[in-house]
Amino acid sequence: MLTEIATPGDEHELQPLTARFPSSPHGAQLARRHAVRWMEERGYPSASDTSCAVALVVGELAANAVQHGRVPGREFGLRLALDRAAGLLRVEVADAAAAKRLPAAAPTSCPEGESGRGLLLVDALAVRWGSAPRRPVGKTVWAELCLEGA
């Protein structure tokens, strides 16, 4: 179930996307699609470099939330916020699992390994990224990306 939260009085351009998705592979896919659609509504076509980077980062962070941060019966949250003046987009994915902490840097991955490349991709695409505890429970993983043309 998707729930989008709108803030009354905000201009459409400045209003961040805030949504919740089921903590499942399908939920991660929905989050990625929703992010691309939101970017398209703000002038970044789905085939643009910016939109493709957003799709990849949201997909990776959402997949990690589903795989490593899933708590039965709990959803994960997605927040996107544009800062055109700074030329940045902030992506935040929040889950309910507080026990696992993210590494401070992207992990190295064995070329033959079947996993472990997601945060390497996030690290390559983002200006900066990290994680923070979420109150009352859980964590938020965030990444900031440069907007094309900024």
Side-chain angles (χ1 to χ4, degrees), residues 7 9-18 38 41-42 79-86 88-89:
T7 308
D10 280 357
E11 293 179 36
H12 175 73
E13 180 66 27
L14 301 176
Q15 184 177 347
L17 165 69
T18 305
W38 187 82
E41 291 170 358
R42 277 139 190 87
R79 183 175 185 274
L80 301 178
L82 279 174
D83 183 345
R84 289 202 193 258
L88 294 174
L89 170 77

Side-chain angles (χ1 to χ4, degrees), residues 16-120:
L17 165 69
T18 305
R20 301 194 66 72
F21 298 91
S23 191
S24 68
H26 183 66
Q29 182 182 42
L30 287 173
R32 182 182 51 80
R33 287 182 179 172
H34 201 64
V36 169
R37 189 173 333 123
W38 187 82
M39 291 298 293
E40 213 166 17
E41 291 170 358
R42 277 139 190 87
Y44 297 92
S46 61
S48 69
D49 288 345
T50 297
S51 188
C52 288
V54 169
L56 187 59
V57 169
V58 168
E60 291 298 336
L61 296 183
N64 282 350
V66 168
Q67 185 174 5
H68 304 293
R70 184 176 183 278
V71 172
R74 301 291 300 266
E75 299 173 317
F76 71 89
L78 171 67
R79 183 175 185 274
L80 301 178
L82 279 174
D83 183 345
R84 289 202 193 258
L88 294 174
L89 170 77
R90 184 171 175 103
V91 175
E92 297 176 357
V93 174
D95 64 48
K100 282 193 135 179
R101 292 276 176 218
L102 277 153
T108 57
S109 177
C110 174
E112 294 82 29
E114 293 183 14
S115 65
R117 292 180 186 85
L119 289 179
L120 288 172

Side-chain angles (χ1 to χ4, degrees), residues 117-141:
R117 292 180 186 85
L119 289 179
L120 288 172
L121 294 171
V122 171
D123 189 57
L125 292 169
V127 175
R128 61 189 151 269
W129 66 275
S131 67
R134 194 181 110 212
R135 303 288 179 236
V137 66
K139 66 185 168 305
T140 299
V141 183

